Amino acid sequence: MKQLILAGLLASLTVTSGFAAEPRNLRWDDLVPTVTVGDNPFEALDFRQKNDLAKLYRIEVKDAATASDFEKSQALTIRENLDADGLDPDWYFAQRERLMAEHTRQFNAPNPEVLAQSVRVPGYILPLEMEGAMAVEFLLVPTVGACVHTPPPAANQLIHVSYPKGYPLRGMYDPVWIIGELQAETQIEMVAYSDGQRNVQSSYVMTAFEVEQYK
């Protein structure tokens, strides 16, 4: 009886282990972290107030080291006008930094919930290194022509893939699955566009276990 129970437990563990090893299919939106974007206080301002804040930010923050005496005088007048409207420019400057940080995280940060686990991701190959007709290093992109004929996607919508075994390219319109574990690592690659070369940033890397044609 004990032997039967032990055999059952071992069989259960074997099935569980096999199931755990199955790669999880990911969509591209799974690669975007959940970001809580707070209220945008600038939406309640009128055009003049927005323009005044933008000009004040340029004078006092962006170009603070080179601002002329005339510009500094303008800044004082702008502050007086905003104060008369009941607006605190320094508070709005802090809100700008918050919104910028949230925006950067949404479009650049990796999603920790998809890291260090076996996954399958579909996409298109943008080759970075070839060995003969085999792509051994490439960017996986979500749409045909991304980074070549169109502006690059957000950094967390690109995966830098190493595949020493090599994948035979069949053309730009041939979708693939990549299988492996995603890691968070920023990479910047020089990519040839139709109108020149540009740096493209990715937030994920993978040494693929397998690359196969999408079916």
Side-chain angles (χ1 to χ4, degrees):
M1 184 67 175
K2 289 182 179 179
Q3 290 179 336
L4 288 175
I5 293 173
L6 180 59
L9 288 172
L10 289 173
S12 174
L13 288 172
T14 301
V15 171
T16 302
S17 299
F19 179 78
E22 286 297 314
R24 169 190 172 191
N25 287 353
L26 295 182
R27 304 182 306 271
W28 283 93
D29 56 5
D30 292 326
L31 304 186
V32 180
T34 300
V35 178
T36 301
V37 179
D39 294 336
N40 182 354
F42 295 91
E43 292 177 348
L45 303 179
D46 61 32
F47 176 79
R48 196 267 303 168
Q49 291 167 337
K50 291 177 183 178
N51 190 59
D52 281 353
L53 281 169
K55 189 171 184 178
L56 187 64
Y57 183 87
R58 179 183 62 78
I59 295 172
E60 293 190 345
V61 180
K62 190 175 180 182
D63 297 335
T66 59
S68 66
D69 290 340
F70 175 73
E71 288 174 320
K72 292 176 182 177
S73 176
Q74 280 185 312
L76 290 174
T77 301
I78 291 172
R79 276 190 173 272
E80 290 174 357
N81 291 336
L82 292 171
D83 183 63
D85 291 339
L87 304 177
D88 179 359
D90 296 319
W91 183 83
Y92 280 95
F93 292 168
Q95 293 305 302
R96 179 187 183 278
E97 296 304 317
R98 174 184 62 80
L99 290 170
M100 291 294 291
E102 290 170 352
H103 181 274
T104 298
R105 181 166 179 263
Q106 186 172 15
F107 289 96
N108 290 295
N111 182 1
E113 295 182 4
V114 301
L115 301 177
Q117 57 185 284
S118 183
V119 298
R120 299 171 79 234
V121 188
Y124 298 88
I125 289 178
L126 176 59
L128 298 173
E129 183 177 341
M130 302 287 294
E131 289 185 2
M134 310 287 278
V136 295
E137 186 175 350
F138 57 87
L139 288 177
L140 189 76
V141 299
T143 58
V144 174
C147 301
V148 176
H149 301 299
T150 62
N156 57 22
Q157 295 291 280
L158 294 169
I159 303 172
H160 185 130
V161 182
S162 296
Y163 189 52
K165 179 179 175 181
Y167 181 80
L169 286 180
R170 298 179 176 85
M172 182 180 295
Y173 301 98
D174 182 36
V176 300
W177 286 103
I178 61 168
I179 304 169
E181 291 189 358
L182 289 173
Q183 303 294 330
E185 183 178 319
T186 299
Q187 297 280 342
I188 297 178
E189 300 294 339
M190 182 68 74
V191 173
Y193 277 70
S194 55
D195 59 350
Q197 292 185 322
R198 301 179 195 173
N199 286 326
V200 173
Q201 179 176 316
S202 57
S203 296
Y204 292 101
V205 297
M206 175 191 286
T207 298
F209 303 150
E210 192 65 54
V211 178
E212 57 189 27
Q213 194 169 20
Y214 183 92
K215 295 179 182 178

mmCIF file of all heavy atoms in Angstrom, residues 29-78:
data_model
loop_
_atom_site.group_PDB
_atom_site.id
_atom_site.type_symbol
_atom_site.label_atom_id
_atom_site.label_comp_id
_atom_site.label_asym_id
_atom_site.label_seq_id
_atom_site.Cartn_x
_atom_site.Cartn_y
_atom_site.Cartn_z
ATOM 1 N N ASP A 29 1.338 42.778 -25.429
ATOM 2 C CA ASP A 29 0.916 43.662 -24.349
ATOM 3 C C ASP A 29 1.219 43.070 -22.972
ATOM 4 O O ASP A 29 1.188 43.782 -21.968
ATOM 5 C CB ASP A 29 -0.564 44.051 -24.470
ATOM 6 C CG ASP A 29 -1.495 42.854 -24.522
ATOM 7 O OD1 ASP A 29 -1.025 41.718 -24.378
ATOM 8 O OD2 ASP A 29 -2.711 43.055 -24.699
ATOM 9 N N ASP A 30 1.534 41.754 -22.917
ATOM 10 C CA ASP A 30 1.975 41.158 -21.653
ATOM 11 C C ASP A 30 3.348 41.685 -21.234
ATOM 12 O O ASP A 30 3.727 41.573 -20.064
ATOM 13 C CB ASP A 30 2.054 39.631 -21.763
ATOM 14 C CG ASP A 30 0.690 38.981 -21.918
ATOM 15 O OD1 ASP A 30 -0.280 39.513 -21.332
ATOM 16 O OD2 ASP A 30 0.593 37.963 -22.619
ATOM 17 N N LEU A 31 4.104 42.224 -22.188
ATOM 18 C CA LEU A 31 5.451 42.715 -21.895
ATOM 19 C C LEU A 31 5.447 44.115 -21.292
ATOM 20 O O LEU A 31 6.490 44.608 -20.848
ATOM 21 C CB LEU A 31 6.298 42.718 -23.167
ATOM 22 C CG LEU A 31 6.416 41.391 -23.924
ATOM 23 C CD1 LEU A 31 7.399 41.521 -25.073
ATOM 24 C CD2 LEU A 31 6.829 40.262 -23.004
ATOM 25 N N VAL A 32 4.283 44.751 -21.283
ATOM 26 C CA VAL A 32 4.167 46.108 -20.741
ATOM 27 C C VAL A 32 3.772 46.017 -19.268
ATOM 28 O O VAL A 32 2.790 45.365 -18.931
ATOM 29 C CB VAL A 32 3.121 46.931 -21.512
ATOM 30 C CG1 VAL A 32 3.009 48.337 -20.940
ATOM 31 C CG2 VAL A 32 3.474 46.975 -22.995
ATOM 32 N N PRO A 33 4.521 46.659 -18.372
ATOM 33 C CA PRO A 33 4.170 46.590 -16.950
ATOM 34 C C PRO A 33 2.893 47.355 -16.663
ATOM 35 O O PRO A 33 2.508 48.266 -17.400
ATOM 36 C CB PRO A 33 5.372 47.246 -16.253
ATOM 37 C CG PRO A 33 5.914 48.197 -17.271
ATOM 38 C CD PRO A 33 5.707 47.514 -18.608
ATOM 39 N N THR A 34 2.241 46.969 -15.588
ATOM 40 C CA THR A 34 1.062 47.700 -15.139
ATOM 41 C C THR A 34 1.526 48.993 -14.478
ATOM 42 O O THR A 34 2.266 48.969 -13.493
ATOM 43 C CB THR A 34 0.242 46.873 -14.143
ATOM 44 O OG1 THR A 34 -0.171 45.661 -14.782
ATOM 45 C CG2 THR A 34 -0.979 47.638 -13.684
ATOM 46 N N VAL A 35 1.124 50.105 -15.059
ATOM 47 C CA VAL A 35 1.559 51.411 -14.556
ATOM 48 C C VAL A 35 0.323 52.200 -14.135
ATOM 49 O O VAL A 35 -0.622 52.359 -14.904
ATOM 50 C CB VAL A 35 2.338 52.200 -15.630
ATOM 51 C CG1 VAL A 35 2.726 53.579 -15.103
ATOM 52 C CG2 VAL A 35 3.581 51.429 -16.054
ATOM 53 N N THR A 36 0.339 52.669 -12.908
ATOM 54 C CA THR A 36 -0.753 53.507 -12.424
ATOM 55 C C THR A 36 -0.441 54.954 -12.773
ATOM 56 O O THR A 36 0.480 55.558 -12.216
ATOM 57 C CB THR A 36 -0.926 53.371 -10.903
ATOM 58 O OG1 THR A 36 -1.186 51.994 -10.592
ATOM 59 C CG2 THR A 36 -2.082 54.225 -10.410
ATOM 60 N N VAL A 37 -1.160 55.468 -13.735
ATOM 61 C CA VAL A 37 -0.946 56.843 -14.176
ATOM 62 C C VAL A 37 -1.920 57.747 -13.415
ATOM 63 O O VAL A 37 -3.130 57.582 -13.497
ATOM 64 C CB VAL A 37 -1.162 56.989 -15.693
ATOM 65 C CG1 VAL A 37 -0.958 58.433 -16.121
ATOM 66 C CG2 VAL A 37 -0.217 56.065 -16.443
ATOM 67 N N GLY A 38 -1.366 58.661 -12.663
ATOM 68 C CA GLY A 38 -2.204 59.561 -11.868
ATOM 69 C C GLY A 38 -2.873 60.623 -12.720
ATOM 70 O O GLY A 38 -2.740 60.661 -13.948
ATOM 71 N N ASP A 39 -3.594 61.478 -12.062
ATOM 72 C CA ASP A 39 -4.283 62.566 -12.755
ATOM 73 C C ASP A 39 -3.284 63.490 -13.442
ATOM 74 O O ASP A 39 -2.163 63.684 -12.974
ATOM 75 C CB ASP A 39 -5.114 63.379 -11.760
ATOM 76 C CG ASP A 39 -6.256 62.565 -11.174
ATOM 77 O OD1 ASP A 39 -6.680 61.599 -11.835
ATOM 78 O OD2 ASP A 39 -6.697 62.882 -10.053
ATOM 79 N N ASN A 40 -3.724 64.059 -14.567
ATOM 80 C CA ASN A 40 -2.917 65.044 -15.289
ATOM 81 C C ASN A 40 -3.487 66.431 -14.996
ATOM 82 O O ASN A 40 -4.479 66.839 -15.601
ATOM 83 C CB ASN A 40 -2.951 64.760 -16.784
ATOM 84 C CG ASN A 40 -2.086 65.724 -17.577
ATOM 85 O OD1 ASN A 40 -1.528 66.686 -17.030
ATOM 86 N ND2 ASN A 40 -1.970 65.498 -18.864
ATOM 87 N N PRO A 41 -2.865 67.178 -14.068
ATOM 88 C CA PRO A 41 -3.424 68.479 -13.683
ATOM 89 C C PRO A 41 -3.338 69.529 -14.782
ATOM 90 O O PRO A 41 -4.022 70.554 -14.716
ATOM 91 C CB PRO A 41 -2.578 68.873 -12.470
ATOM 92 C CG PRO A 41 -1.281 68.168 -12.676
ATOM 93 C CD PRO A 41 -1.629 66.871 -13.334
ATOM 94 N N PHE A 42 -2.515 69.286 -15.801
ATOM 95 C CA PHE A 42 -2.359 70.270 -16.873
ATOM 96 C C PHE A 42 -3.600 70.348 -17.759
ATOM 97 O O PHE A 42 -3.801 71.348 -18.452
ATOM 98 C CB PHE A 42 -1.123 69.929 -17.717
ATOM 99 C CG PHE A 42 0.173 70.049 -16.959
ATOM 100 C CD1 PHE A 42 0.705 68.953 -16.295
ATOM 101 C CD2 PHE A 42 0.852 71.253 -16.890
ATOM 102 C CE1 PHE A 42 1.894 69.059 -15.584
ATOM 103 C CE2 PHE A 42 2.040 71.370 -16.187
ATOM 104 C CZ PHE A 42 2.556 70.274 -15.521
ATOM 105 N N GLU A 43 -4.421 69.277 -17.745
ATOM 106 C CA GLU A 43 -5.600 69.266 -18.597
ATOM 107 C C GLU A 43 -6.615 70.338 -18.197
ATOM 108 O O GLU A 43 -7.419 70.778 -19.017
ATOM 109 C CB GLU A 43 -6.253 67.884 -18.548
ATOM 110 C CG GLU A 43 -5.411 66.785 -19.196
ATOM 111 C CD GLU A 43 -6.050 65.418 -19.080
ATOM 112 O OE1 GLU A 43 -7.024 65.302 -18.294
ATOM 113 O OE2 GLU A 43 -5.586 64.480 -19.749
ATOM 114 N N ALA A 44 -6.568 70.767 -16.930
ATOM 115 C CA ALA A 44 -7.541 71.758 -16.448
ATOM 116 C C ALA A 44 -7.106 73.201 -16.726
ATOM 117 O O ALA A 44 -7.869 74.138 -16.486
ATOM 118 C CB ALA A 44 -7.774 71.574 -14.947
ATOM 119 N N LEU A 45 -5.897 73.373 -17.251
ATOM 120 C CA LEU A 45 -5.380 74.725 -17.493
ATOM 121 C C LEU A 45 -5.809 75.224 -18.865
ATOM 122 O O LEU A 45 -6.023 74.442 -19.793
ATOM 123 C CB LEU A 45 -3.848 74.715 -17.402
ATOM 124 C CG LEU A 45 -3.235 74.206 -16.091
ATOM 125 C CD1 LEU A 45 -1.724 74.239 -16.188
ATOM 126 C CD2 LEU A 45 -3.718 75.030 -14.905
ATOM 127 N N ASP A 46 -5.903 76.554 -18.994
ATOM 128 C CA ASP A 46 -6.184 77.112 -20.314
ATOM 129 C C ASP A 46 -4.878 77.277 -21.086
ATOM 130 O O ASP A 46 -3.781 77.049 -20.556
ATOM 131 C CB ASP A 46 -6.954 78.439 -20.211
ATOM 132 C CG ASP A 46 -6.191 79.524 -19.463
ATOM 133 O OD1 ASP A 46 -4.937 79.556 -19.534
ATOM 134 O OD2 ASP A 46 -6.838 80.363 -18.794
ATOM 135 N N PHE A 47 -5.012 77.685 -22.346
ATOM 136 C CA PHE A 47 -3.842 77.753 -23.224
ATOM 137 C C PHE A 47 -2.786 78.706 -22.678
ATOM 138 O O PHE A 47 -1.594 78.401 -22.687
ATOM 139 C CB PHE A 47 -4.259 78.207 -24.625
ATOM 140 C CG PHE A 47 -3.093 78.386 -25.562
ATOM 141 C CD1 PHE A 47 -2.496 77.300 -26.181
ATOM 142 C CD2 PHE A 47 -2.573 79.666 -25.811
ATOM 143 C CE1 PHE A 47 -1.404 77.470 -27.030
ATOM 144 C CE2 PHE A 47 -1.482 79.837 -26.658
ATOM 145 C CZ PHE A 47 -0.899 78.738 -27.270
ATOM 146 N N ARG A 48 -3.195 79.865 -22.190
ATOM 147 C CA ARG A 48 -2.239 80.851 -21.696
ATOM 148 C C ARG A 48 -1.470 80.332 -20.490
ATOM 149 O O ARG A 48 -0.255 80.498 -20.386
ATOM 150 C CB ARG A 48 -2.976 82.151 -21.355
ATOM 151 C CG ARG A 48 -2.077 83.385 -21.186
ATOM 152 C CD ARG A 48 -1.644 83.621 -19.743
ATOM 153 N NE ARG A 48 -2.786 83.753 -18.858
ATOM 154 C CZ ARG A 48 -2.663 83.734 -17.527
ATOM 155 N NH1 ARG A 48 -1.491 83.553 -16.946
ATOM 156 N NH2 ARG A 48 -3.743 83.854 -16.761
ATOM 157 N N GLN A 49 -2.172 79.661 -19.589
ATOM 158 C CA GLN A 49 -1.514 79.118 -18.400
ATOM 159 C C GLN A 49 -0.504 78.022 -18.767
ATOM 160 O O GLN A 49 0.607 77.987 -18.227
ATOM 161 C CB GLN A 49 -2.571 78.582 -17.433
ATOM 162 C CG GLN A 49 -3.420 79.673 -16.803
ATOM 163 C CD GLN A 49 -4.656 79.127 -16.105
ATOM 164 O OE1 GLN A 49 -5.127 78.025 -16.415
ATOM 165 N NE2 GLN A 49 -5.197 79.897 -15.160
ATOM 166 N N LYS A 50 -0.895 77.140 -19.684
ATOM 167 C CA LYS A 50 0.032 76.096 -20.141
ATOM 168 C C LYS A 50 1.259 76.717 -20.800
ATOM 169 O O LYS A 50 2.394 76.287 -20.558
ATOM 170 C CB LYS A 50 -0.667 75.163 -21.126
ATOM 171 C CG LYS A 50 -1.741 74.290 -20.513
ATOM 172 C CD LYS A 50 -2.410 73.451 -21.589
ATOM 173 C CE LYS A 50 -3.539 72.606 -21.014
ATOM 174 N NZ LYS A 50 -4.233 71.817 -22.065
ATOM 175 N N ASN A 51 1.032 77.726 -21.628
ATOM 176 C CA ASN A 51 2.129 78.388 -22.318
ATOM 177 C C ASN A 51 3.058 79.087 -21.329
ATOM 178 O O ASN A 51 4.290 79.029 -21.453
ATOM 179 C CB ASN A 51 1.577 79.394 -23.323
ATOM 180 C CG ASN A 51 2.643 79.948 -24.241
ATOM 181 O OD1 ASN A 51 3.293 79.202 -24.959
ATOM 182 N ND2 ASN A 51 2.827 81.268 -24.214
ATOM 183 N N ASP A 52 2.460 79.749 -20.315
ATOM 184 C CA ASP A 52 3.274 80.424 -19.301
ATOM 185 C C ASP A 52 4.126 79.429 -18.519
ATOM 186 O O ASP A 52 5.308 79.676 -18.253
ATOM 187 C CB ASP A 52 2.370 81.197 -18.338
ATOM 188 C CG ASP A 52 1.896 82.533 -18.903
ATOM 189 O OD1 ASP A 52 2.374 82.914 -19.995
ATOM 190 O OD2 ASP A 52 1.041 83.183 -18.258
ATOM 191 N N LEU A 53 3.536 78.296 -18.140
ATOM 192 C CA LEU A 53 4.288 77.287 -17.392
ATOM 193 C C LEU A 53 5.425 76.706 -18.236
ATOM 194 O O LEU A 53 6.533 76.490 -17.737
ATOM 195 C CB LEU A 53 3.350 76.168 -16.935
ATOM 196 C CG LEU A 53 2.502 76.468 -15.694
ATOM 197 C CD1 LEU A 53 1.437 75.401 -15.512
ATOM 198 C CD2 LEU A 53 3.381 76.569 -14.446
ATOM 199 N N ALA A 54 5.149 76.474 -19.518
ATOM 200 C CA ALA A 54 6.186 75.935 -20.400
ATOM 201 C C ALA A 54 7.343 76.923 -20.546
ATOM 202 O O ALA A 54 8.520 76.539 -20.504
ATOM 203 C CB ALA A 54 5.586 75.608 -21.766
ATOM 204 N N LYS A 55 7.015 78.192 -20.702
ATOM 205 C CA LYS A 55 8.056 79.215 -20.852
ATOM 206 C C LYS A 55 8.844 79.373 -19.557
ATOM 207 O O LYS A 55 10.076 79.495 -19.569
ATOM 208 C CB LYS A 55 7.422 80.550 -21.250
ATOM 209 C CG LYS A 55 8.436 81.610 -21.645
ATOM 210 C CD LYS A 55 7.731 82.833 -22.245
ATOM 211 C CE LYS A 55 8.757 83.856 -22.746
ATOM 212 N NZ LYS A 55 8.079 85.035 -23.368
ATOM 213 N N LEU A 56 8.147 79.357 -18.425
ATOM 214 C CA LEU A 56 8.805 79.488 -17.135
ATOM 215 C C LEU A 56 9.734 78.297 -16.873
ATOM 216 O O LEU A 56 10.849 78.464 -16.366
ATOM 217 C CB LEU A 56 7.756 79.595 -16.022
ATOM 218 C CG LEU A 56 8.281 79.902 -14.623
ATOM 219 C CD1 LEU A 56 8.926 81.288 -14.577
ATOM 220 C CD2 LEU A 56 7.140 79.820 -13.599
ATOM 221 N N TYR A 57 9.273 77.110 -17.232
ATOM 222 C CA TYR A 57 10.098 75.905 -17.047
ATOM 223 C C TYR A 57 11.376 76.006 -17.875
ATOM 224 O O TYR A 57 12.461 75.656 -17.406
ATOM 225 C CB TYR A 57 9.309 74.660 -17.447
ATOM 226 C CG TYR A 57 10.050 73.367 -17.215
ATOM 227 C CD1 TYR A 57 9.998 72.726 -15.977
ATOM 228 C CD2 TYR A 57 10.804 72.779 -18.231
ATOM 229 C CE1 TYR A 57 10.686 71.546 -15.758
ATOM 230 C CE2 TYR A 57 11.485 71.596 -18.018
ATOM 231 C CZ TYR A 57 11.428 70.981 -16.779
ATOM 232 O OH TYR A 57 12.120 69.811 -16.563
ATOM 233 N N ARG A 58 11.232 76.487 -19.105
ATOM 234 C CA ARG A 58 12.416 76.625 -19.960
ATOM 235 C C ARG A 58 13.413 77.598 -19.348
ATOM 236 O O ARG A 58 14.612 77.321 -19.299
ATOM 237 C CB ARG A 58 12.013 77.082 -21.364
ATOM 238 C CG ARG A 58 13.208 77.270 -22.311
ATOM 239 C CD ARG A 58 12.768 77.799 -23.653
ATOM 240 N NE ARG A 58 12.140 79.099 -23.558
ATOM 241 C CZ ARG A 58 12.833 80.242 -23.417
ATOM 242 N NH1 ARG A 58 14.147 80.237 -23.332
ATOM 243 N NH2 ARG A 58 12.192 81.402 -23.351
ATOM 244 N N ILE A 59 12.933 78.741 -18.870
ATOM 245 C CA ILE A 59 13.836 79.767 -18.332
ATOM 246 C C ILE A 59 14.474 79.326 -17.019
ATOM 247 O O ILE A 59 15.683 79.454 -16.822
ATOM 248 C CB ILE A 59 13.074 81.101 -18.123
ATOM 249 C CG1 ILE A 59 12.601 81.661 -19.471
ATOM 250 C CG2 ILE A 59 13.962 82.127 -17.414
ATOM 251 C CD1 ILE A 59 11.674 82.869 -19.339
ATOM 252 N N GLU A 60 13.668 78.793 -16.104
ATOM 253 C CA GLU A 60 14.141 78.522 -14.751
ATOM 254 C C GLU A 60 14.764 77.142 -14.557
ATOM 255 O O GLU A 60 15.546 76.949 -13.622
ATOM 256 C CB GLU A 60 12.996 78.680 -13.751
ATOM 257 C CG GLU A 60 12.503 80.107 -13.610
ATOM 258 C CD GLU A 60 11.537 80.278 -12.451
ATOM 259 O OE1 GLU A 60 11.035 79.261 -11.944
ATOM 260 O OE2 GLU A 60 11.282 81.430 -12.062
ATOM 261 N N VAL A 61 14.434 76.197 -15.443
ATOM 262 C CA VAL A 61 14.933 74.832 -15.259
ATOM 263 C C VAL A 61 15.820 74.402 -16.425
ATOM 264 O O VAL A 61 17.016 74.165 -16.258
ATOM 265 C CB VAL A 61 13.761 73.840 -15.090
ATOM 266 C CG1 VAL A 61 14.283 72.413 -14.894
ATOM 267 C CG2 VAL A 61 12.883 74.238 -13.904
ATOM 268 N N LYS A 62 15.234 74.325 -17.607
ATOM 269 C CA LYS A 62 15.974 73.802 -18.756
ATOM 270 C C LYS A 62 17.158 74.679 -19.140
ATOM 271 O O LYS A 62 18.257 74.183 -19.396
ATOM 272 C CB LYS A 62 15.017 73.644 -19.941
ATOM 273 C CG LYS A 62 15.619 72.896 -21.115
ATOM 274 C CD LYS A 62 14.582 72.667 -22.202
ATOM 275 C CE LYS A 62 15.187 71.920 -23.375
ATOM 276 N NZ LYS A 62 14.188 71.721 -24.465
ATOM 277 N N ASP A 63 16.949 75.999 -19.201
ATOM 278 C CA ASP A 63 18.021 76.916 -19.629
ATOM 279 C C ASP A 63 18.485 77.806 -18.477
ATOM 280 O O ASP A 63 18.930 78.936 -18.703
ATOM 281 C CB ASP A 63 17.534 77.795 -20.790
ATOM 282 C CG ASP A 63 17.175 76.982 -22.025
ATOM 283 O OD1 ASP A 63 17.705 75.870 -22.180
ATOM 284 O OD2 ASP A 63 16.362 77.470 -22.827
ATOM 285 N N ALA A 64 18.379 77.303 -17.245
ATOM 286 C CA ALA A 64 18.678 78.132 -16.073
ATOM 287 C C ALA A 64 20.097 78.701 -16.107
ATOM 288 O O ALA A 64 20.333 79.859 -15.720
ATOM 289 C CB ALA A 64 18.478 77.320 -14.797
ATOM 290 N N ALA A 65 21.043 77.915 -16.590
ATOM 291 C CA ALA A 65 22.446 78.350 -16.561
ATOM 292 C C ALA A 65 22.745 79.433 -17.590
ATOM 293 O O ALA A 65 23.714 80.180 -17.444
ATOM 294 C CB ALA A 65 23.367 77.151 -16.791
ATOM 295 N N THR A 66 21.921 79.555 -18.619
ATOM 296 C CA THR A 66 22.207 80.512 -19.697
ATOM 297 C C THR A 66 21.136 81.588 -19.846
ATOM 298 O O THR A 66 21.213 82.401 -20.774
ATOM 299 C CB THR A 66 22.353 79.765 -21.036
ATOM 300 O OG1 THR A 66 21.140 79.046 -21.310
ATOM 301 C CG2 THR A 66 23.524 78.776 -20.998
ATOM 302 N N ALA A 67 20.146 81.605 -18.967
ATOM 303 C CA ALA A 67 19.053 82.583 -19.080
ATOM 304 C C ALA A 67 19.581 84.012 -18.944
ATOM 305 O O ALA A 67 20.407 84.314 -18.078
ATOM 306 C CB ALA A 67 17.999 82.301 -18.012
ATOM 307 N N SER A 68 19.116 84.892 -19.812
ATOM 308 C CA SER A 68 19.531 86.294 -19.788
ATOM 309 C C SER A 68 18.776 87.047 -18.694
ATOM 310 O O SER A 68 17.771 86.556 -18.151
ATOM 311 C CB SER A 68 19.267 86.941 -21.144
ATOM 312 O OG SER A 68 17.870 87.003 -21.399
ATOM 313 N N ASP A 69 19.239 88.253 -18.398
ATOM 314 C CA ASP A 69 18.544 89.082 -17.411
ATOM 315 C C ASP A 69 17.119 89.394 -17.865
ATOM 316 O O ASP A 69 16.205 89.448 -17.048
ATOM 317 C CB ASP A 69 19.319 90.387 -17.181
ATOM 318 C CG ASP A 69 20.630 90.160 -16.438
ATOM 319 O OD1 ASP A 69 20.750 89.102 -15.777
ATOM 320 O OD2 ASP A 69 21.526 91.030 -16.526
ATOM 321 N N PHE A 70 16.954 89.596 -19.182
ATOM 322 C CA PHE A 70 15.614 89.863 -19.718
ATOM 323 C C PHE A 70 14.691 88.665 -19.483
ATOM 324 O O PHE A 70 13.530 88.821 -19.076
ATOM 325 C CB PHE A 70 15.695 90.194 -21.210
ATOM 326 C CG PHE A 70 14.355 90.353 -21.858
ATOM 327 C CD1 PHE A 70 13.571 91.478 -21.599
ATOM 328 C CD2 PHE A 70 13.852 89.375 -22.711
ATOM 329 C CE1 PHE A 70 12.320 91.630 -22.189
ATOM 330 C CE2 PHE A 70 12.606 89.523 -23.301
ATOM 331 C CZ PHE A 70 11.843 90.654 -23.042
ATOM 332 N N GLU A 71 15.210 87.466 -19.744
ATOM 333 C CA GLU A 71 14.407 86.256 -19.546
ATOM 334 C C GLU A 71 14.074 86.066 -18.058
ATOM 335 O O GLU A 71 12.959 85.657 -17.712
ATOM 336 C CB GLU A 71 15.151 85.036 -20.081
ATOM 337 C CG GLU A 71 15.204 84.975 -21.608
ATOM 338 C CD GLU A 71 16.066 83.844 -22.110
ATOM 339 O OE1 GLU A 71 17.148 83.598 -21.515
ATOM 340 O OE2 GLU A 71 15.681 83.202 -23.108
ATOM 341 N N LYS A 72 15.017 86.363 -17.191
ATOM 342 C CA LYS A 72 14.758 86.251 -15.754
ATOM 343 C C LYS A 72 13.676 87.241 -15.316
ATOM 344 O O LYS A 72 12.842 86.926 -14.463
ATOM 345 C CB LYS A 72 16.045 86.484 -14.969
ATOM 346 C CG LYS A 72 17.087 85.380 -15.153
ATOM 347 C CD LYS A 72 18.384 85.716 -14.423
ATOM 348 C CE LYS A 72 19.426 84.629 -14.643
ATOM 349 N NZ LYS A 72 20.724 84.956 -13.993
ATOM 350 N N SER A 73 13.679 88.430 -15.933
ATOM 351 C CA SER A 73 12.643 89.412 -15.647
ATOM 352 C C SER A 73 11.284 88.906 -16.132
ATOM 353 O O SER A 73 10.264 89.071 -15.452
ATOM 354 C CB SER A 73 12.987 90.745 -16.324
ATOM 355 O OG SER A 73 11.953 91.681 -16.136
ATOM 356 N N GLN A 74 11.286 88.261 -17.315
ATOM 357 C CA GLN A 74 10.063 87.662 -17.833
ATOM 358 C C GLN A 74 9.540 86.594 -16.875
ATOM 359 O O GLN A 74 8.339 86.481 -16.643
ATOM 360 C CB GLN A 74 10.324 87.015 -19.203
ATOM 361 C CG GLN A 74 10.357 87.981 -20.378
ATOM 362 C CD GLN A 74 10.496 87.221 -21.683
ATOM 363 O OE1 GLN A 74 11.337 86.329 -21.826
ATOM 364 N NE2 GLN A 74 9.665 87.578 -22.655
ATOM 365 N N ALA A 75 10.456 85.802 -16.314
ATOM 366 C CA ALA A 75 10.067 84.728 -15.399
ATOM 367 C C ALA A 75 9.360 85.286 -14.171
ATOM 368 O O ALA A 75 8.365 84.712 -13.698
ATOM 369 C CB ALA A 75 11.300 83.915 -14.996
ATOM 370 N N LEU A 76 9.845 86.411 -13.650
ATOM 371 C CA LEU A 76 9.206 87.022 -12.486
ATOM 372 C C LEU A 76 7.775 87.452 -12.812
ATOM 373 O O LEU A 76 6.848 87.263 -12.015
ATOM 374 C CB LEU A 76 10.029 88.223 -12.009
ATOM 375 C CG LEU A 76 11.388 87.898 -11.353
ATOM 376 C CD1 LEU A 76 12.154 89.186 -11.063
ATOM 377 C CD2 LEU A 76 11.181 87.107 -10.058
ATOM 378 N N THR A 77 7.603 88.043 -14.003
ATOM 379 C CA THR A 77 6.264 88.473 -14.424
ATOM 380 C C THR A 77 5.331 87.281 -14.583
ATOM 381 O O THR A 77 4.159 87.319 -14.173
ATOM 382 C CB THR A 77 6.352 89.251 -15.747
ATOM 383 O OG1 THR A 77 7.197 90.394 -15.571
ATOM 384 C CG2 THR A 77 4.971 89.700 -16.202
ATOM 385 N N ILE A 78 5.854 86.206 -15.178
ATOM 386 C CA ILE A 78 5.041 85.002 -15.374
ATOM 387 C C ILE A 78 4.617 84.423 -14.027
ATOM 388 O O ILE A 78 3.461 84.031 -13.833
ATOM 389 C CB ILE A 78 5.824 83.948 -16.192
ATOM 390 C CG1 ILE A 78 6.011 84.425 -17.630
ATOM 391 C CG2 ILE A 78 5.095 82.604 -16.180
ATOM 392 C CD1 ILE A 78 6.932 83.550 -18.461
#
